[in-house]
Amino acid sequence: MARRNKVYEGKAKILFEGPEPGTLVQYFKDDATAFNAEKKDVIEGKGVLNNRLSEFFMTGLNNIGIPTHFIRRINMREQLIRAVEIIPLEVIVRNYAAGSMAKRLGMEEGTQLPRPIVEFSYKNDDLGDPLVPEEYITAFNWASQQDLDEMVAMALRVNDFMSGVMMGVGIKLIDFKIEIGRIFDGDFMRLIVADEISPDSCRLWDIETGEKLDKDVFRRDLGNLTDAYTEVARRLGVLPKTSGTGAKPTLIN
């Protein structure tokens, strides 16, 4: 394999220079982290599953007119993506109380919210990705008010798409987070969905049983993370149904 220039390495992915200007190769690792990397492990197959699942969701968003950085899948662990200027915010959409929100407000996990709530957190692992109000975001020039309005609208459209897809396969979309980046075409700038969309960045509960099918399985020691992600992929058709032989399903190329 030709030596490639690494641009950035995060907790779950590595970015390499792409084959063409304005592109990157995004490699999905098997590393699992929680609580701002205080808990770590390597989960065999996780990167392969997240690559395929993120491809599925990003392709779906592109197809309904929500622009993303995704261009195409290269292999089982890598995607070709557009290089973007990432806005230093995580955009969180909550449909039900869970995780930090339930803890902050003393709410029972699983309580349906009166409407989807969009929050912003400042991307900084050393600070624990703190929640920030829009006033902070505009004051520190992380994004303009126009950007924020567009980001909220985009996040809610992603929520509509994701909620519908998940409900169709018996999964409740509790919450999720996305990152948004800027791309430039001369003097023209537009916002697009970037990073990844996978069970690493969503809370997914089985509608019937409430079983968790997301990274909370790892955070809370609830079972095998690969099995949970495999179940999501199987339901979405990213994996074929088992043949009845007892063997684990294999990924569709």
Side-chain angles (χ1 to χ4, degrees):
M1 181 184 293
R3 186 175 181 85
R4 297 180 297 181
N5 292 323
K6 183 164 67 174
V7 176
Y8 170 81
E9 181 168 0
K11 291 177 287 189
K13 295 179 295 296
I14 304 173
L15 297 179
F16 297 97
E17 287 183 357
E20 300 169 0
T23 67
L24 296 168
V25 172
Q26 181 167 254
Y27 174 92
F28 287 77
K29 302 193 293 185
D30 282 341
D31 297 32
T33 64
F35 313 117
N36 286 312
E38 291 179 11
K39 182 176 183 179
K40 301 178 184 179
D41 203 351
V42 176
I43 311 294
E44 184 179 357
K46 171 179 170 290
V48 172
L49 287 162
N50 279 351
N51 183 26
R52 300 306 299 271
L53 286 163
S54 193
E55 173 195 12
F56 175 88
F57 293 122
M58 293 289 190
T59 300
L61 293 176
N62 284 333
N63 288 342
I64 64 170
I66 301 174
T68 80
H69 72 168
F70 178 80
I71 299 173
R72 62 180 173 86
R73 179 172 58 85
I74 298 171
N75 55 44
M76 299 300 280
R77 287 188 180 273
E78 295 180 326
Q79 303 176 354
L80 184 67
I81 61 173
R82 293 178 179 86
V84 303
E85 177 190 299
I86 291 288
I87 296 172
L89 300 168
E90 291 180 343
V91 186
I92 303 161
V93 182
R94 299 184 183 274
N95 298 306
Y96 299 83
S100 62
M101 178 188 225
K103 186 175 181 179
R104 284 197 313 271
L105 302 180
M107 300 177 70
E108 182 180 354
E109 282 210 321
T111 301
Q112 185 168 4
L113 302 176
R115 60 175 176 80
I117 292 176
V118 180
E119 300 175 330
F120 296 95
S121 68
Y122 177 49
K123 276 181 58 63
N124 187 310
D125 287 341
D126 293 338
L127 301 176
D129 299 327
L131 287 178
V132 289
E134 292 188 9
E135 178 68 17
Y136 286 20
I137 296 169
T138 55
F140 295 124
N141 201 31
W142 296 329
S144 68
Q145 188 60 56
Q146 181 178 342
D147 289 340
L148 285 175
D149 293 343
E150 188 174 343
M151 290 165 72
V152 169
M154 185 180 291
L156 291 174
R157 289 184 65 198
V158 173
N159 187 48
D160 285 344
F161 168 76
M162 294 279 293
S163 295
V165 168
M166 289 302 186
M167 184 175 294
V169 295
I171 296 174
K172 187 184 296 185
L173 180 63
I174 302 299
D175 57 36
F176 67 92
K177 64 182 178 183
I178 56 174
E179 294 184 20
I180 292 177
R182 301 181 178 97
I183 60 171
F184 296 88
D185 183 8
D187 293 333
F188 179 74
M189 183 275 292
R190 63 186 176 121
L191 302 179
I192 65 174
V193 178
D195 192 45
E196 70 173 297
I197 300 177
S198 74
D200 270 8
S201 57
C202 307
R203 278 193 175 88
L204 307 170
W205 295 4
D206 181 88
I207 288 176
E208 296 294 331
T209 67
E211 179 187 3
K212 293 175 174 58
L213 301 170
D214 55 70
K215 200 162 75 169
D216 275 348
V217 172
F218 173 70
R219 291 187 188 99
R220 304 182 184 186
D221 297 316
L222 298 176
N224 185 290
L225 190 68
T226 303
D227 287 349
Y229 286 20
T230 298
E231 176 63 15
V232 174
R234 185 192 65 78
R235 293 194 196 187
L236 291 170
V238 175
L239 293 180
K241 294 181 179 178
T242 53
S243 62
T245 63
K248 283 192 174 183
T250 55
L251 288 163
I252 299 171
N253 287 317

